[in-house]
Amino acid sequence: VVMIESITIKNVATYDNVGIQINDLKKVNFIYGANASGKTTISNFLVKPESFANCSLTWKNAQELTVLAYNKDFRDKNFGNGKIAGVFTLGEATKEQKQIIEDKALELKKKKADGDGKKETLEGQDGRSGLRGQKQALIDHFKETSWTKIYKKYETDFKGAFGGCSQKESFKDKLLQEFENNKTGLKTLDELKEKAKTIFGEQPQWIDAISLISSERILEINDHPIWKKIIVGKADVDIAKLIQKLNINDWVNQGRIYLQAEDNICPFCQKQTITDEFRKQLDSFFDETYISDIKSLKELKQEYNSLTQNLINELNIIETNQKNLKNSQLDIDKYSAYLKTLISQNMTNVELLSNKEKEPSRSIELVSLKEQLNLIAKLITDTNTKIQKHNDIVNNFNTEKNTLISSVWKFLCEDFKDDIQQFLTNKNGLEKGISNLESQLKIMGEESDKLDQEIKELSKNVTSIQPAIDEINRLLKSYGFLNFSIVPATEKGFYQIQREDGTIAERTLSEGEITFITFLYYLQLAKGGVSEETVNEERILVLDDPISSLDSNVLFIVSTLIKEIITSIKEDNGNIRQLILLTHNIYFHKEVSYEGLNRKGEKSQFWILRKNLKQSTIQFYGETNPIQSSYELLWREVKEWKKNSGITIQNTMRRILENFFSILGNKRDHFLIHKFDNQEERDICRSLLSWINEGSHTLNDDLFIEVPDGMIEKYLAVFRDIFTHTENSGHYNMMMGIEQDPNV
């Protein structure tokens, strides 16, 4: 059944920016509210929702029907210009014609009911539990699980692959797209993580290769045989025996430097012992071979020191540069260790060479630098290989990045494969069901439109405004309105109100007569239409205080007519789908909502609309009718005094005490006061009675005086004690809804 499900009213008239929500509306709904509590605002909104920017309503099955409201605007519109628009109903039609129309109307209703059932399967009663809701719930669940199981799990390592997918919805869509289309080869997680460090980190920059070291000459010198050679003078010279015996080759050779060509003083003993012969023997002892070896020794030492120092300087520069290089590929710790060892070895060799130079006759063996130089060379070569790979990535960065992203998504799809396949299977099943229902609904909609058009064409030929005239006049006479009637106006398709003498009676009718005839007209309009095409149109009725200005007899008549409509709505008869009734009259509310033994169909819903401190609020009572009697309503005001801010609490308590003790029990204030045991309690009771009479019967100077909650609560306690001391606590508990312990 198409009808209104909820209403929101705010930022208009007596409704603040929070406003009210009327939810869970059923076929029949009763809203009780005092005058000026905001009822007419609700009815005006339902007729013209487009005129209320801050208010809204929702329709069941997302379909809308015509809303026909009975309120002051309706009366002014239809009874303010001397003529009344005619109401078309099925008039001069044969029984067979009516039966055809009824049969087609019944068929149309069944199709719409069947369509509503399918729509409910599609949408659900709440718009979420149907197939579409299930599909959306499935999508939402998949979106959450994929976000948790994949995005959050791999966000740290692969965030660079998630560009443009940092939201749950976009990530879910990308995952499904990649699952369908990604044909990239599958790589391991470790491979992807390793490559992601370069690709997804800061965009890599070009790195210069490390210069290769040249150490061949150093190694040649390092292994030269001269270092082990014992360099001494010629052995067949007379002086040789003494020098060799004393092993003073190096000492004598160093002393030769101090021999002066023209001086015969010995540099060794500082005596004039140097002769030409001695000079000749020294020169013969230190011959050309000796001199050549010494020269080679010095040159090799110098070359070695120069080459190693240059190499160490070069290696130190490499170390410094690589330490300062942000994306260095060199294992700097290993390099530094190798270099440190090399420097240490070289220092040892430098010292050995120095000693060899001083003592050429000594045989030395230099520390081999080959292993250390090879380690450093290999480390540099391996590093350059890494640098080349890095630079290849730099040269092909975009290609490499796209390849990696594709590989990452392929891995994620494979990792989440079972969940994705299950989701797609369930989603495809729901989509097939939805598509099937949509196709059926489309066909049913076309068939319904065709039936509706047939009914309109058939109705157009047999409708008339006369049956509505006859029915209104019959009701007027039945209920004692004999001095006027409804007649066709001179303008075709309109009514006018005429007295028995033929004069137009609209402007001389009493308020009660106008109200009653307006309501009768409204009922006919609810069953028919203002044109032939709208006779069978489904609609929503909104009744806003339909009994204003009516006496008690007519009030009962209106209640009876409305209850007939309620019965037809609950039984799904006729074209009225829903009723929303608003009233301030307690007696009328009781009458029209009383079900008696006829309690078939869906239960009615009840609300009370209140205006507190110039703001309208509403309370929902569900299927429980909150309006029982005026006396019970007074007790309800006491129970719910906080909802009225305590404004009327004094008057309410006074009326309860008067009703129960004064009117029914013939007990006056002094009787109640003397029911308290001691003087203090009697004074408190007297204070309460004075307070409630003050708040009820006197005119305050101020427009409004707010009573503190603490004072109200104290007097409510005394109010309760009055019933206790007069042995009427059972009545108090019953009216306040307090359950008593049966054992007390």
Side-chain angles (χ1 to χ4, degrees), residues 206-211 312-332 335-336 339 383 387:
W206 177 272
I207 300 176
D208 292 327
I210 301 173
S211 299
I312 289 171
N313 288 340
E314 183 182 347
L315 295 176
N316 280 328
I317 290 171
I318 290 173
E319 180 184 38
T320 301
N321 291 340
Q322 292 299 313
K323 281 183 177 179
N324 294 329
L325 188 63
K326 187 174 182 181
N327 296 316
S328 174
Q329 305 296 305
L330 179 67
D331 187 339
I332 199 67
Y335 178 87
S336 296
L339 178 57
T383 300
I387 290 173

Side-chain angles (χ1 to χ4, degrees), residues 712-725:
I712 295 175
E713 289 170 352
K714 288 179 182 179
Y715 283 124
L716 283 171
V718 179
F719 177 74
R720 178 198 63 216
D721 289 342
I722 289 176
F723 286 90
T724 301
H725 290 308

Side-chain angles (χ1 to χ4, degrees), residues 2 42 253 376 399 438 453 472 480 551 553 643 656 671:
V2 179
I42 295 174
N253 186 45
I376 293 174
T399 302
E438 287 177 339
Q453 190 59 40
I472 292 174
D551 59 31
N553 290 331
K643 295 178 180 177
I656 289 174
F671 170 81

Side-chain angles (χ1 to χ4, degrees), residues 585-608:
N585 189 295
I586 292 176
Y587 181 75
F588 173 69
H589 187 285
K590 283 184 61 182
E591 283 296 321
V592 77
S593 63
Y594 179 68
E595 293 181 321
L597 299 176
N598 183 24
R599 299 179 182 177
K600 297 179 182 179
E602 184 181 79
K603 298 292 184 182
S604 303
Q605 301 289 89
F606 296 90
W607 288 263
I608 289 184

Side-chain angles (χ1 to χ4, degrees), residues 198-461:
T198 302
I199 297 294
F200 294 151
E202 185 177 346
Q203 184 166 346
Q205 302 298 316
W206 177 272
I207 300 176
D208 292 327
I210 301 173
S211 299
L212 298 177
I213 63 173
S214 177
S215 60
E216 289 81 3
R217 181 57 183 161
I218 293 174
L219 293 177
E220 286 178 9
I221 298 173
N222 192 232
D223 296 333
H224 200 282
I226 198 170
W227 309 125
K228 293 182 180 181
K229 183 178 181 180
I230 298 173
I231 302 173
V232 294
K234 193 174 182 181
D236 58 355
V237 179
D238 292 341
I239 199 172
K241 292 180 181 179
L242 176 62
I243 292 173
Q244 291 175 356
K245 183 178 181 180
L246 296 176
N247 194 22
I248 56 174
N249 280 269
D250 299 326
W251 181 74
V252 173
N253 186 45
Q254 290 177 12
R256 287 176 64 217
I257 301 171
Y258 299 100
L259 286 176
Q260 303 297 322
E262 68 281 355
D263 193 358
N264 60 356
I265 296 175
C266 176
F268 305 108
C269 66
Q270 294 298 308
K271 293 180 180 181
Q272 293 184 355
T273 59
I274 302 300
T275 64
D276 291 338
E277 181 63 24
F278 181 75
R279 288 178 186 277
K280 185 178 179 181
Q281 287 193 41
L282 282 177
D283 291 339
S284 296
F285 182 79
F286 295 107
D287 61 2
E288 291 181 1
T289 300
Y290 180 87
I291 292 172
S292 176
D293 286 343
I294 293 299
K295 181 182 178 184
S296 295
L297 174 66
K298 288 182 178 180
E299 288 176 350
L300 287 171
K301 175 202 169 194
Q302 184 178 358
E303 184 181 3
Y304 176 87
N305 286 342
S306 177
L307 289 173
T308 54
Q309 189 58 51
N310 288 339
L311 178 62
I312 289 171
N313 288 340
E314 183 182 347
L315 295 176
N316 280 328
I317 290 171
I318 290 173
E319 180 184 38
T320 301
N321 291 340
Q322 292 299 313
K323 281 183 177 179
N324 294 329
L325 188 63
K326 187 174 182 181
N327 296 316
S328 174
Q329 305 296 305
L330 179 67
D331 187 339
I332 199 67
D333 292 335
K334 186 180 289 187
Y335 178 87
S336 296
Y338 290 166
L339 178 57
K340 186 176 181 182
T341 301
L342 178 67
I343 291 171
S344 176
Q345 290 175 338
N346 185 61
M347 288 176 64
T348 300
N349 285 347
V350 168
E351 187 176 354
L352 288 171
L353 290 174
S354 180
N355 292 336
K356 178 67 174 177
E357 184 180 21
K358 290 177 183 178
E359 302 178 45
S361 63
R362 178 184 296 185
S363 175
I364 65 170
E365 183 175 358
L366 296 180
V367 177
S368 176
L369 303 182
K370 183 176 182 180
E371 181 181 359
Q372 214 60 30
L373 287 170
N374 286 342
L375 287 172
I376 293 174
K378 185 177 185 306
L379 187 58
I380 290 175
T381 300
D382 292 344
T383 300
N384 283 339
T385 300
K386 291 181 181 179
I387 290 173
Q388 183 60 48
K389 289 181 179 179
H390 173 87
N391 288 341
D392 288 343
I393 292 174
V394 173
N395 289 332
N396 301 286
F397 181 76
N398 290 332
T399 302
E400 291 283 341
K401 184 175 183 180
N402 292 334
T403 300
L404 177 59
I405 290 173
S406 184
S407 297
V408 167
W409 280 103
K410 181 64 176 180
F411 172 81
L412 299 180
C413 291
E414 189 66 25
D415 190 39
F416 203 55
K417 181 178 180 180
D418 292 343
D419 296 73
I420 296 174
Q421 287 180 333
Q422 186 62 52
F423 164 73
L424 290 175
T425 299
N426 295 339
K427 178 171 169 283
N428 289 338
L430 286 170
E431 285 177 342
K432 286 180 181 178
I434 291 170
S435 178
N436 185 38
L437 280 173
E438 287 177 339
S439 298
Q440 293 180 41
L441 283 170
K442 182 180 179 182
I443 293 171
M444 294 177 69
E446 292 170 352
E447 292 175 347
S448 295
D449 290 343
K450 183 179 178 182
L451 266 175
D452 186 52
Q453 190 59 40
E454 289 176 359
I455 292 170
K456 287 180 179 178
E457 289 299 322
L458 289 169
S459 299
K460 187 184 296 185
N461 297 326

